[in-house]
Amino acid sequence: QVQLVESGGGLVQAGDSLRLSCAISGRAFDPYRVGWFRQAPGKEREFVSGISSDGRRLFYGDSVKGRFTISSVNTKNTMIHLQMNLLKPEDTAVYYCAATLSRSVADVRNALTYDYWGPGTQVTVSS
């Protein structure tokens, strides 16, 4: 049973920083491809960032490029951080971590290609 748990969310002011973490547990002999998604009230789930299973390729949504950085602590990608700088009120959302054993990066931005999801962590940015 694979489980994902996000942490690090909170209430901050515009311009502040937060670091989200995603811890993945469960039996896996291969590394995960991991993605971060977010969903604001009344909006569709949006791709934020992703990291390939080999950790060599990083991906970002257009709205966070240059402000957010994804990183992995180990080669299995079982601990992923999302450093969020220069936060804006429009970054307010529930942030979800997702994982899959797929090695393909062609659909890294597609939420439907992820098999495992965390419960989410709230990020609120006040103006």
Side-chain angles (χ1 to χ4, degrees):
Q1 185 76 8
V2 178
Q3 292 185 326
L4 284 68
V5 178
E6 305 94 340
S7 61
L11 172 62
V12 297
Q13 293 185 334
D16 286 349
S17 298
L18 276 176
R19 189 179 79 162
L20 303 184
S21 298
C22 174
I24 304 174
S25 61
R27 297 180 64 183
F29 299 103
D30 295 317
Y32 295 99
R33 185 188 84 196
V34 179
W36 284 97
F37 294 81
R38 68 187 182 186
Q39 189 164 20
K43 295 188 177 181
E44 293 186 352
R45 190 164 294 191
E46 174 190 13
F47 172 77
V48 175
S49 184
I51 183 168
S52 60
S53 59
D54 62 7
R56 296 179 179 179
R57 297 192 64 181
L58 310 179
F59 303 86
Y60 298 97
D62 289 340
S63 61
V64 307
K65 203 170 294 183
R67 299 187 297 122
F68 291 12
T69 303
I70 190 170
S71 62
S72 178
V73 172
N74 54 47
T75 56
K76 288 286 183 70
N77 288 348
T78 56
M79 177 59 78
I80 301 293
H81 297 308
L82 183 68
Q83 179 67 41
M84 306 187 297
N85 297 330
L86 299 175
L87 284 163
K88 305 175 181 180
E90 50 264 44
D91 293 319
T92 295
V94 177
Y95 283 70
Y96 299 92
C97 177
T100 175
L101 291 171
S102 171
R103 297 187 179 185
S104 171
V105 295
D107 47 10
V108 65
R109 293 174 172 81
N110 186 349
L112 296 176
T113 65
Y114 291 83
D115 301 306
Y116 311 104
W117 289 82
T121 186
Q122 176 70 46
V123 172
T124 303
V125 184
S126 63
S127 58

Coordinates of all heavy atoms in Angstrom, one line a residue, residues 56-93:
R56 N 16.2 13.6 -13.1 CA 17.0 14.5 -14.0 C 16.1 15.6 -14.7 O 16.7 16.6 -15.1 CB 17.7 13.6 -15.1 CG 18.7 12.7 -14.5 CD 19.3 11.9 -15.6 NE 20.3 10.9 -15.0 CZ 21.0 10.1 -15.8 NH1 20.9 10.1 -17.1 NH2 21.9 9.3 -15.2
R57 N 14.8 15.4 -14.8 CA 14.0 16.3 -15.5 C 13.0 16.9 -14.5 O 12.3 16.2 -13.8 CB 13.3 15.6 -16.7 CG 14.3 15.1 -17.7 CD 13.6 14.8 -19.0 NE 13.0 15.9 -19.6 CZ 12.3 15.9 -20.7 NH1 12.1 14.7 -21.4 NH2 11.7 17.0 -21.2
L58 N 12.9 18.2 -14.6 CA 12.0 19.0 -13.7 C 11.0 19.7 -14.6 O 11.4 20.2 -15.7 CB 12.8 20.0 -12.8 CG 14.0 19.4 -12.1 CD1 14.7 20.5 -11.3 CD2 13.6 18.2 -11.2
F59 N 9.8 19.8 -14.1 CA 8.8 20.5 -14.9 C 8.0 21.5 -14.0 O 7.8 21.2 -12.8 CB 7.8 19.4 -15.4 CG 8.5 18.3 -16.2 CD1 9.0 17.2 -15.6 CD2 8.5 18.5 -17.6 CE1 9.6 16.2 -16.4 CE2 9.2 17.5 -18.4 CZ 9.7 16.4 -17.7
Y60 N 7.5 22.6 -14.7 CA 6.8 23.6 -13.9 C 5.6 24.1 -14.8 O 5.7 24.2 -16.0 CB 7.7 24.8 -13.6 CG 8.9 24.4 -12.7 CD1 10.1 24.1 -13.2 CD2 8.7 24.3 -11.3 CE1 11.2 23.7 -12.4 CE2 9.7 23.9 -10.5 CZ 11.0 23.6 -11.0 OH 12.0 23.2 -10.2
G61 N 4.6 24.5 -14.1 CA 3.5 25.1 -14.7 C 3.9 26.6 -15.0 O 4.7 27.2 -14.3
D62 N 3.3 27.2 -16.0 CA 3.7 28.5 -16.4 C 3.5 29.5 -15.3 O 4.3 30.5 -15.2 CB 2.8 28.9 -17.6 CG 3.2 28.2 -18.9 OD1 4.4 27.6 -18.9 OD2 2.4 28.1 -19.8
S63 N 2.5 29.3 -14.5 CA 2.2 30.3 -13.5 C 3.2 30.3 -12.3 O 3.2 31.3 -11.5 CB 0.8 30.1 -12.9 OG 0.6 28.8 -12.3
V64 N 4.0 29.3 -12.2 CA 4.9 29.2 -11.0 C 6.4 29.2 -11.5 O 7.3 29.2 -10.6 CB 4.6 27.9 -10.2 CG1 3.2 27.9 -9.8 CG2 5.0 26.6 -10.9
K65 N 6.6 29.1 -12.8 CA 7.9 29.0 -13.3 C 8.8 30.2 -12.8 O 8.3 31.4 -12.9 CB 7.9 29.0 -14.8 CG 9.1 28.4 -15.5 CD 8.9 28.2 -17.0 CE 7.8 27.1 -17.2 NZ 7.6 26.9 -18.7
G66 N 10.0 30.0 -12.3 CA 10.8 31.0 -11.8 C 10.6 31.3 -10.3 O 11.4 32.0 -9.7
R67 N 9.5 30.8 -9.8 CA 9.2 31.1 -8.3 C 9.3 29.8 -7.5 O 9.6 29.9 -6.3 CB 7.8 31.8 -8.2 CG 7.7 33.1 -8.9 CD 6.4 33.8 -8.6 NE 5.2 33.0 -9.0 CZ 4.3 32.5 -8.2 NH1 4.3 32.8 -6.9 NH2 3.3 31.9 -8.7
F68 N 8.9 28.7 -8.1 CA 8.8 27.4 -7.4 C 10.0 26.5 -7.8 O 10.4 26.6 -9.0 CB 7.5 26.7 -7.6 CG 6.3 27.4 -7.0 CD1 6.3 28.6 -6.5 CD2 5.1 26.7 -7.0 CE1 5.2 29.2 -5.9 CE2 4.0 27.3 -6.4 CZ 4.0 28.5 -5.9
T69 N 10.5 25.7 -6.9 CA 11.5 24.8 -7.2 C 11.2 23.4 -6.6 O 10.9 23.3 -5.4 CB 12.9 25.3 -6.7 OG1 13.2 26.5 -7.3 CG2 14.0 24.3 -7.1
I70 N 11.2 22.4 -7.4 CA 11.0 21.0 -6.9 C 12.3 20.3 -6.8 O 13.3 20.5 -7.5 CB 10.1 20.2 -7.9 CG1 9.6 18.9 -7.3 CG2 10.7 20.0 -9.3 CD1 8.5 18.2 -8.1
S71 N 12.4 19.5 -5.7 CA 13.7 18.8 -5.5 C 13.4 17.4 -4.8 O 12.3 17.3 -4.2 CB 14.6 19.6 -4.7 OG 14.1 19.9 -3.4
S72 N 14.3 16.5 -5.0 CA 14.1 15.2 -4.4 C 15.3 15.0 -3.4 O 16.4 15.3 -3.7 CB 14.1 14.1 -5.4 OG 14.0 12.8 -4.8
V73 N 15.0 14.3 -2.3 CA 16.0 14.1 -1.3 C 16.8 12.8 -1.6 O 18.0 12.7 -1.3 CB 15.3 14.0 0.1 CG1 16.3 13.5 1.2 CG2 14.7 15.3 0.5
N74 N 16.1 11.8 -2.3 CA 16.8 10.5 -2.5 C 16.5 10.0 -4.0 O 15.6 10.6 -4.7 CB 16.3 9.5 -1.5 CG 14.8 9.4 -1.4 OD1 14.2 9.3 -2.4 ND2 14.3 9.4 -0.2
T75 N 17.1 9.0 -4.3 CA 17.0 8.5 -5.7 C 15.7 7.8 -6.0 O 15.3 7.6 -7.1 CB 18.2 7.5 -6.0 OG1 18.2 6.4 -5.1 CG2 19.5 8.2 -6.0
K76 N 15.0 7.4 -5.0 CA 13.7 6.7 -5.1 C 12.5 7.8 -5.2 O 11.4 7.4 -5.5 CB 13.4 5.8 -4.0 CG 14.2 4.5 -4.0 CD 13.8 3.6 -5.1 CE 14.5 2.3 -5.1 NZ 14.2 1.5 -3.9
N77 N 12.9 9.0 -5.0 CA 11.9 10.1 -5.0 C 10.8 9.9 -4.0 O 9.6 10.1 -4.2 CB 11.3 10.3 -6.4 CG 12.2 10.9 -7.4 OD1 13.3 11.4 -7.0 ND2 11.8 10.9 -8.6
T78 N 11.2 9.4 -2.8 CA 10.2 9.2 -1.7 C 10.1 10.3 -0.8 O 9.2 10.3 0.2 CB 10.5 7.9 -1.0 OG1 11.8 8.0 -0.4 CG2 10.4 6.7 -1.9
M79 N 10.9 11.4 -0.9 CA 10.8 12.6 -0.2 C 11.0 13.7 -1.2 O 12.2 14.0 -1.6 CB 11.7 12.7 1.0 CG 11.7 14.0 1.8 SD 10.1 14.4 2.5 CE 10.1 13.3 3.9
I80 N 10.0 14.5 -1.5 CA 10.0 15.5 -2.4 C 9.7 16.9 -1.8 O 8.7 16.9 -1.0 CB 9.0 15.3 -3.6 CG1 9.3 13.9 -4.3 CG2 9.0 16.4 -4.6 CD1 10.6 13.9 -5.0
H81 N 10.4 17.9 -2.1 CA 10.2 19.2 -1.6 C 9.7 20.1 -2.7 O 10.1 20.0 -3.9 CB 11.4 19.8 -0.9 CG 11.9 19.1 0.3 ND1 11.1 18.8 1.3 CD2 13.1 18.6 0.6 CE1 11.8 18.1 2.2 NE2 13.0 18.0 1.8
L82 N 8.9 21.1 -2.4 CA 8.5 22.1 -3.3 C 8.7 23.4 -2.6 O 8.0 23.8 -1.7 CB 7.0 22.0 -3.7 CG 6.5 23.0 -4.7 CD1 7.2 22.8 -6.1 CD2 5.0 23.0 -4.9
Q83 N 9.8 24.1 -3.0 CA 10.1 25.4 -2.5 C 9.3 26.5 -3.2 O 9.4 26.6 -4.4 CB 11.6 25.7 -2.6 CG 12.0 27.1 -2.0 CD 11.8 27.2 -0.5 OE1 12.1 26.3 0.2 NE2 11.3 28.3 -0.1
M84 N 8.5 27.2 -2.5 CA 7.6 28.2 -3.1 C 8.1 29.6 -2.7 O 7.9 29.9 -1.5 CB 6.2 28.0 -2.8 CG 5.7 26.5 -3.1 SD 4.0 26.3 -2.9 CE 3.8 26.6 -1.2
N85 N 8.6 30.4 -3.6 CA 9.0 31.8 -3.2 C 8.1 32.8 -3.9 O 7.4 32.5 -4.9 CB 10.4 32.0 -3.7 CG 11.4 31.1 -3.0 OD1 11.2 30.7 -1.8 ND2 12.5 30.7 -3.7
L86 N 8.2 34.0 -3.4 CA 7.4 35.1 -4.0 C 5.9 34.8 -4.2 O 5.4 34.9 -5.2 CB 8.0 35.6 -5.3 CG 9.5 36.1 -5.2 CD1 10.0 36.3 -6.7 CD2 9.5 37.3 -4.4
L87 N 5.4 34.2 -3.1 CA 4.0 33.8 -3.2 C 3.0 34.9 -3.5 O 3.2 36.0 -3.0 CB 3.6 33.0 -1.9 CG 4.2 31.6 -1.8 CD1 4.2 31.1 -0.4 CD2 3.5 30.7 -2.7
K88 N 2.0 34.6 -4.2 CA 1.0 35.5 -4.6 C -0.4 35.0 -4.1 O -0.6 33.8 -3.9 CB 0.9 35.7 -6.1 CG 2.2 36.0 -6.8 CD 2.1 36.0 -8.3 CE 3.4 36.3 -9.0 NZ 3.2 36.3 -10.4
P89 N -1.4 35.9 -3.9 CA -2.7 35.5 -3.5 C -3.3 34.4 -4.4 O -4.0 33.5 -3.9 CB -3.5 36.8 -3.5 CG -2.5 37.9 -3.2 CD -1.2 37.4 -3.9
E90 N -3.0 34.5 -5.7 CA -3.5 33.5 -6.6 C -2.9 32.1 -6.5 O -3.3 31.2 -7.1 CB -3.4 34.0 -8.1 CG -2.0 34.5 -8.4 CD -1.9 36.0 -8.3 OE1 -2.3 36.6 -7.3 OE2 -1.3 36.6 -9.2
D91 N -1.9 32.0 -5.6 CA -1.3 30.7 -5.3 C -2.1 30.0 -4.2 O -1.8 28.8 -3.9 CB 0.2 30.8 -4.8 CG 1.1 31.3 -5.9 OD1 1.0 30.9 -7.1 OD2 2.0 32.2 -5.6
T92 N -3.1 30.7 -3.7 CA -3.9 30.0 -2.7 C -4.7 28.9 -3.2 O -5.4 29.0 -4.2 CB -4.9 31.1 -2.1 OG1 -4.2 32.1 -1.4 CG2 -5.9 30.4 -1.1
A93 N -4.5 27.7 -2.6 CA -5.1 26.5 -3.1 C -4.8 25.3 -2.1 O -4.0 25.5 -1.2 CB -4.7 26.1 -4.5

